[in-house]
Amino acid sequence: MKDKKINVCILGATGSVGQKFIELLSDHPWFKIHEVAASDRSAGKKYKDAVNWIMQSELKKEYGDLIVKKCEANMESKIIFSGLDASVAGEIESDFAQNGYFVISNARNHRFVENVPLMIPEVNPDHLKLLNDQDYTGGIVTNPNCSTIGLVLALKPIADAFGIEAVNVVTMQAVSGGGYPGVPSMDIIDNVIPFIGGEESKMETEPLKILGELNGRKINYADIKISAQCNRVAVIDGHLECVQIKLKKKTTVDEIKKVWNEFKSVPQEMKLPSAPEYPVKYFDEDKYPQPKLHRNQGLGMTASVGRLREDALFDFKFVVLSHNTIRGAAGGTILVAEMMKSYGYFDKVLG
Ligand code: NAP
């Protein structure tokens, strides 16, 4: 059974997202970490010597002893998870896809290419069909920005049931979202930084593609106005977001709670290994959700919502929390790969 697993390679394996990939894939039932790669600074070293391991679980010896490779498209594994820095991800990922590899990426570079799916498996599973229009011998699929994912998971059941006209969101984002070592400790302890470069425009545009409709070979973007303000706060993991929404149809607090609690989608039906039982979970307690208490709901794959109430300016307001390096990065990407495997997309490169 063990050798039936699919070999995978992790690009950017030494980074914050890369380490989360190692942790989450260590005992994965379908995928086996076969190769790791990073920059020239790390290449040639044993993984355990190249990485500053910041995960809470122990690094397994078999992965610690892997030799870090250069990010060149000559890997034995055909399935590539990318946690590469955006300054280099674009070119490297294209090169892999052109050379017969499937790349599932966390970097922003290819998210808005017309025939590249921008995936949240519970939200837009049909968008994977865009892969059929890519000219690569392999393919590229992307994961959204970490703050987009929690927001869109919360919006999806509401959009389906009542339609959404406008969204205003203010984020309180964890330091791990900026990679390792991230913001200097002198800047973030006892502080909030009201700016994260590029983040607001990602939050204002990515949901429109993800919530858009597949129309033949392209996505018709959703017609929703979104305004975002993004802040970095002194939390290690877990992005908390305060959201206001204006809806197309009239509804009630109870009806919105009901559509959240009943929300299940294709990953739950397919029983994919990383799919949480509840993609969205509502908390009735006034003080919930909180990063420290709830970021690991559904093994870090559930978006926790709470504090839903009517709003004087928009129609409703609420709070959503999601784990930025699990659901917002490595875990979300692994769920995409599980869906791609189940739909048979990997057959073309695995033979
Ligand atoms: P990070 O901690 O800074 O890690 C970056 C990785 O890229 C490291 O493995 C690094 O290798 C590698 N790298 C840097 N320059 C390279 C080069 N010239 N050639 C090859 N490899 C190179 O960043 P991160 O937080 O893990 O983020 C990784 C990606 O995921 C980014 O695109 C980020 O925007 C995205 N993302 C992050 C999060 C999050 O919550 N952190 C969430 C969603 C998406 P060395 O160690 O050898 O330098």
Coordinates of all heavy atoms in Angstrom, one line a residue, residues 269-320:
E269 N -18.4 15.6 0.0 CA -19.1 14.4 -0.7 C -18.1 13.4 -1.1 O -18.3 12.2 -1.0 CB -19.9 14.9 -1.9 CG -21.2 15.6 -1.6 CD -21.6 16.5 -2.7 OE1 -21.2 16.3 -3.9 OE2 -22.4 17.5 -2.4
M270 N -16.9 13.8 -1.6 CA -15.9 12.9 -2.1 C -15.1 12.3 -1.0 O -14.2 11.5 -1.2 CB -15.0 13.6 -3.1 CG -15.6 14.1 -4.4 SD -14.4 15.1 -5.3 CE -13.9 14.0 -6.6
K271 N -15.3 12.8 0.2 CA -14.6 12.4 1.4 C -13.0 12.5 1.2 O -12.3 11.5 1.4 CB -14.9 10.9 1.8 CG -16.4 10.8 2.2 CD -16.6 9.5 2.9 CE -18.1 9.2 3.2 NZ -18.9 10.2 3.7
L272 N -12.6 13.6 0.6 CA -11.2 13.8 0.4 C -10.5 13.9 1.8 O -11.0 14.4 2.8 CB -10.9 15.1 -0.4 CG -11.6 15.2 -1.8 CD1 -11.3 16.5 -2.4 CD2 -11.1 14.0 -2.6
P273 N -9.2 13.3 1.9 CA -8.6 13.2 3.2 C -8.4 14.5 3.9 O -8.5 14.5 5.2 CB -7.2 12.6 2.8 CG -7.3 12.0 1.4 CD -8.5 12.7 0.8
S274 N -8.2 15.6 3.3 CA -8.0 16.9 4.0 C -9.3 17.7 4.1 O -9.3 18.8 4.7 CB -7.0 17.7 3.3 OG -5.8 17.0 3.2
A275 N -10.4 17.2 3.7 CA -11.7 18.0 3.7 C -12.2 18.0 5.2 O -12.4 16.9 5.8 CB -12.7 17.3 2.8
P276 N -12.5 19.1 5.7 CA -13.0 19.1 7.1 C -14.5 18.7 7.0 O -15.2 18.9 6.0 CB -12.9 20.6 7.5 CG -13.0 21.4 6.2 CD -12.3 20.5 5.1
E277 N -15.0 18.2 8.1 CA -16.4 17.9 8.1 C -17.3 19.1 7.9 O -18.3 19.1 7.1 CB -16.8 17.2 9.5 CG -18.2 16.7 9.5 CD -18.6 16.0 10.8 OE1 -17.7 15.9 11.7 OE2 -19.7 15.6 11.0
Y278 N -16.9 20.2 8.5 CA -17.6 21.5 8.3 C -16.7 22.5 7.7 O -15.8 23.0 8.4 CB -18.2 22.0 9.7 CG -19.1 21.0 10.3 CD1 -18.7 20.2 11.4 CD2 -20.4 20.9 9.8 CE1 -19.6 19.3 11.9 CE2 -21.3 20.0 10.4 CZ -20.9 19.2 11.4 OH -21.8 18.3 11.9
P279 N -16.9 22.9 6.5 CA -16.0 24.0 5.9 C -16.2 25.3 6.7 O -15.3 26.1 6.8 CB -16.5 24.1 4.5 CG -17.3 22.9 4.2 CD -17.8 22.4 5.5
V280 N -17.5 25.5 7.2 CA -17.8 26.8 7.9 C -18.5 26.4 9.2 O -19.4 25.6 9.1 CB -18.7 27.7 7.0 CG1 -19.0 29.0 7.8 CG2 -18.1 28.0 5.7
K281 N -18.0 26.9 10.3 CA -18.7 26.6 11.6 C -19.1 27.9 12.3 O -18.2 28.7 12.5 CB -17.7 25.8 12.4 CG -18.3 25.4 13.8 CD -17.3 24.5 14.5 CE -17.6 24.5 16.0 NZ -18.3 23.5 16.5
Y282 N -20.3 28.0 12.7 CA -20.8 29.2 13.4 C -20.7 29.0 14.9 O -21.1 28.0 15.4 CB -22.2 29.5 13.0 CG -22.6 30.9 13.6 CD1 -22.2 32.1 12.9 CD2 -23.3 31.0 14.8 CE1 -22.5 33.3 13.5 CE2 -23.6 32.2 15.3 CZ -23.2 33.4 14.7 OH -23.4 34.6 15.2
F283 N -20.2 30.0 15.6 CA -20.1 30.0 17.1 C -21.1 31.1 17.6 O -21.1 32.2 17.1 CB -18.7 30.4 17.5 CG -17.7 29.4 17.4 CD1 -17.0 29.2 16.2 CD2 -17.5 28.4 18.4 CE1 -16.0 28.2 16.0 CE2 -16.5 27.4 18.2 CZ -15.8 27.3 17.1
D284 N -22.0 30.6 18.5 CA -23.0 31.6 19.1 C -22.4 32.4 20.2 O -23.0 33.5 20.5 CB -24.2 30.8 19.6 CG -25.2 30.5 18.5 OD1 -25.6 31.4 17.8 OD2 -25.5 29.3 18.3
E285 N -21.3 32.0 20.8 CA -20.7 32.7 21.9 C -20.3 34.1 21.5 O -19.6 34.3 20.5 CB -19.5 32.0 22.5 CG -19.9 30.6 23.2 CD -20.0 29.5 22.2 OE1 -20.1 29.7 20.9 OE2 -20.0 28.3 22.6
D286 N -20.6 35.1 22.3 CA -20.3 36.5 21.9 C -18.8 36.8 21.6 O -18.5 37.6 20.8 CB -20.7 37.5 23.1 CG -22.2 37.7 23.2 OD1 -22.8 37.4 22.1 OD2 -22.7 38.1 24.2
K287 N -17.9 36.1 22.4 CA -16.5 36.4 22.3 C -15.8 35.5 21.2 O -14.5 35.5 21.2 CB -15.8 36.2 23.6 CG -16.2 37.3 24.6 CD -15.5 37.1 25.9 CE -15.9 38.0 27.0 NZ -15.5 37.6 28.3
Y288 N -16.5 34.7 20.5 CA -15.8 33.7 19.6 C -16.1 34.2 18.1 O -17.1 34.8 17.9 CB -16.4 32.3 19.8 CG -16.0 31.6 21.0 CD1 -16.5 30.4 21.3 CD2 -15.1 32.2 21.9 CE1 -16.1 29.7 22.5 CE2 -14.8 31.6 23.1 CZ -15.3 30.3 23.4 OH -14.9 29.7 24.5
P289 N -15.3 33.8 17.2 CA -14.1 33.0 17.2 C -12.8 33.9 17.6 O -12.8 35.0 17.3 CB -13.9 32.5 15.8 CG -14.5 33.5 15.0 CD -15.6 34.2 15.8
Q290 N -11.8 33.2 18.1 CA -10.6 33.8 18.5 C -9.4 33.0 17.9 O -9.5 31.8 17.9 CB -10.4 33.8 20.0 CG -11.4 34.6 20.8 CD -11.3 34.6 22.3 OE1 -10.2 34.2 22.8 NE2 -12.3 34.9 23.0
P291 N -8.4 33.7 17.4 CA -7.2 32.9 16.8 C -6.7 31.8 17.7 O -6.5 30.7 17.3 CB -6.2 34.0 16.5 CG -7.0 35.3 16.3 CD -8.2 35.1 17.3
K292 N -6.4 32.2 19.0 CA -5.7 31.2 19.9 C -6.6 30.0 20.1 O -6.1 28.9 20.2 CB -5.4 31.9 21.2 CG -4.3 31.2 22.0 CD -3.6 32.1 23.0 CE -4.5 32.3 24.2 NZ -3.7 33.0 25.3
L293 N -7.9 30.2 20.2 CA -8.8 29.1 20.5 C -9.3 28.3 19.3 O -9.6 27.1 19.5 CB -10.0 29.7 21.3 CG -9.7 30.4 22.6 CD1 -11.0 30.9 23.2 CD2 -8.9 29.5 23.6
H294 N -9.5 29.0 18.2 CA -10.3 28.3 17.1 C -9.6 28.1 15.8 O -10.2 27.6 14.9 CB -11.6 29.1 16.9 CG -12.4 29.3 18.2 ND1 -12.6 30.5 18.8 CD2 -13.0 28.3 18.9 CE1 -13.3 30.3 19.9 NE2 -13.6 29.0 20.0
R295 N -8.3 28.6 15.7 CA -7.6 28.4 14.4 C -7.5 27.0 14.0 O -7.4 26.7 12.8 CB -6.3 29.1 14.4 CG -5.3 28.6 15.4 CD -4.1 29.5 15.6 NE -3.4 29.3 16.8 CZ -2.7 30.2 17.5 NH1 -2.6 31.4 17.1 NH2 -2.0 29.9 18.6
N296 N -7.5 26.0 14.9 CA -7.3 24.6 14.5 C -8.6 23.9 14.4 O -8.6 22.6 14.3 CB -6.3 23.9 15.5 CG -4.9 24.4 15.4 OD1 -4.5 24.7 14.3 ND2 -4.2 24.6 16.5
Q297 N -9.7 24.6 14.3 CA -11.0 23.9 14.0 C -10.9 23.1 12.7 O -10.3 23.6 11.7 CB -12.1 24.9 13.9 CG -12.5 25.6 15.2 CD -13.3 24.6 16.1 OE1 -14.2 23.9 15.6 NE2 -12.9 24.6 17.4
G298 N -11.4 21.9 12.7 CA -11.3 21.0 11.5 C -9.9 20.8 11.1 O -9.6 20.9 9.9
L299 N -9.0 20.6 12.1 CA -7.5 20.5 11.8 C -7.0 21.7 11.0 O -6.1 21.5 10.1 CB -7.2 19.1 11.1 CG -7.6 17.9 11.9 CD1 -7.3 16.6 11.0 CD2 -6.8 17.8 13.2
G300 N -7.5 22.9 11.2 CA -7.0 24.1 10.6 C -7.7 24.3 9.2 O -7.3 25.3 8.5
M301 N -8.7 23.5 8.9 CA -9.3 23.6 7.5 C -10.7 24.2 7.6 O -11.3 24.4 6.5 CB -9.4 22.2 6.9 CG -8.0 21.7 6.5 SD -7.2 22.7 5.2 CE -8.1 22.1 3.7
T302 N -11.2 24.5 8.8 CA -12.6 25.1 8.9 C -12.5 26.6 9.1 O -11.6 27.1 9.8 CB -13.3 24.5 10.1 OG1 -13.5 23.1 9.9 CG2 -14.6 25.1 10.5
A303 N -13.3 27.3 8.4 CA -13.4 28.8 8.7 C -14.5 29.0 9.8 O -15.6 28.5 9.7 CB -13.9 29.5 7.4
S304 N -14.0 29.6 10.9 CA -14.9 29.8 12.0 C -15.6 31.2 11.9 O -14.9 32.2 11.7 CB -14.1 29.8 13.3 OG -13.5 28.5 13.4
V305 N -16.9 31.2 12.0 CA -17.6 32.5 12.0 C -18.4 32.8 13.2 O -18.7 31.8 14.0 CB -18.6 32.6 10.7 CG1 -17.9 32.8 9.5 CG2 -19.4 31.3 10.7
G306 N -18.6 34.0 13.5 CA -19.4 34.4 14.7 C -19.8 35.8 14.7 O -19.6 36.5 13.7
R307 N -20.5 36.3 15.7 CA -20.9 37.6 15.9 C -21.8 38.2 14.7 O -21.7 39.3 14.4 CB -19.7 38.6 16.1 CG -18.8 38.1 17.3 CD -18.3 39.3 18.0 NE -19.4 40.1 18.5 CZ -19.4 41.5 18.5 NH1 -18.4 42.1 18.0 NH2 -20.4 42.1 19.0
L308 N -22.6 37.3 14.2 CA -23.5 37.8 13.1 C -24.6 38.6 13.6 O -25.3 38.2 14.6 CB -24.1 36.5 12.3 CG -25.1 36.9 11.2 CD1 -24.3 37.6 10.0 CD2 -25.8 35.7 10.7
R309 N -24.7 39.8 13.1 CA -25.8 40.7 13.5 C -26.2 41.7 12.4 O -25.4 41.8 11.4 CB -25.4 41.4 14.8 CG -24.2 42.3 14.7 CD -23.2 41.9 15.8 NE -22.1 42.9 15.9 CZ -20.9 42.7 15.3 NH1 -20.6 41.7 14.6 NH2 -20.0 43.6 15.5
E310 N -27.3 42.4 12.6 CA -27.7 43.4 11.6 C -26.8 44.6 11.6 O -26.2 44.8 12.7 CB -29.1 43.8 11.8 CG -30.1 42.6 11.4 CD -31.5 43.0 11.4 OE1 -31.9 44.2 11.6 OE2 -32.4 42.1 11.2
D311 N -26.6 45.3 10.5 CA -25.7 46.4 10.4 C -26.4 47.6 10.0 O -27.3 47.6 9.1 CB -24.6 46.0 9.4 CG -23.5 47.1 9.3 OD1 -23.0 47.5 10.4 OD2 -23.2 47.5 8.2
A312 N -26.0 48.8 10.5 CA -26.7 50.0 10.2 C -26.4 50.6 8.8 O -27.2 51.2 8.2 CB -26.4 51.1 11.3
L313 N -25.2 50.2 8.3 CA -24.7 50.8 7.0 C -25.0 49.7 5.9 O -25.5 50.1 4.9 CB -23.2 51.1 7.1 CG -22.9 52.3 8.0 CD1 -21.4 52.5 8.0 CD2 -23.5 53.5 7.6
F314 N -24.5 48.5 6.2 CA -24.8 47.4 5.2 C -26.0 46.6 5.7 O -26.8 47.2 6.5 CB -23.5 46.5 5.1 CG -22.4 47.1 4.4 CD1 -21.8 48.3 4.8 CD2 -21.8 46.5 3.3 CE1 -20.7 48.9 4.2 CE2 -20.8 47.1 2.6 CZ -20.2 48.3 3.0
D315 N -26.1 45.4 5.3 CA -27.3 44.6 5.9 C -26.9 43.8 7.1 O -27.7 43.8 8.1 CB -27.8 43.6 4.8 CG -28.5 44.4 3.6 OD1 -29.1 45.4 3.9 OD2 -28.4 43.9 2.5
F316 N -25.7 43.1 7.1 CA -25.3 42.3 8.2 C -23.8 42.5 8.4 O -23.1 42.9 7.5 CB -25.5 40.8 7.9 CG -27.0 40.5 7.8 CD1 -27.6 40.5 6.5 CD2 -27.8 40.3 8.9 CE1 -28.9 40.2 6.4 CE2 -29.1 40.0 8.8 CZ -29.7 40.0 7.5
K317 N -23.3 42.1 9.6 CA -21.9 42.1 9.9 C -21.5 40.9 10.7 O -22.4 40.3 11.4 CB -21.4 43.4 10.5 CG -22.1 43.7 11.8 CD -21.6 45.1 12.3 CE -22.5 45.7 13.4 NZ -22.2 47.1 13.7
F318 N -20.3 40.4 10.5 CA -19.9 39.2 11.2 C -18.3 39.2 11.3 O -17.7 40.0 10.7 CB -20.4 37.9 10.6 CG -19.9 37.7 9.2 CD1 -18.8 37.0 8.9 CD2 -20.7 38.2 8.1 CE1 -18.4 36.7 7.6 CE2 -20.2 38.0 6.8 CZ -19.1 37.3 6.5
V319 N -17.8 38.1 12.0 CA -16.4 37.9 12.1 C -16.0 36.5 11.5 O -16.8 35.6 11.8 CB -16.0 38.0 13.6 CG1 -14.5 37.7 13.8 CG2 -16.2 39.4 14.2
V320 N -15.0 36.4 10.8 CA -14.5 35.1 10.3 C -13.0 35.0 10.6 O -12.3 35.9 10.6 CB -14.8 34.9 8.8 CG1 -14.1 36.0 7.9 CG2 -14.4 33.5 8.3

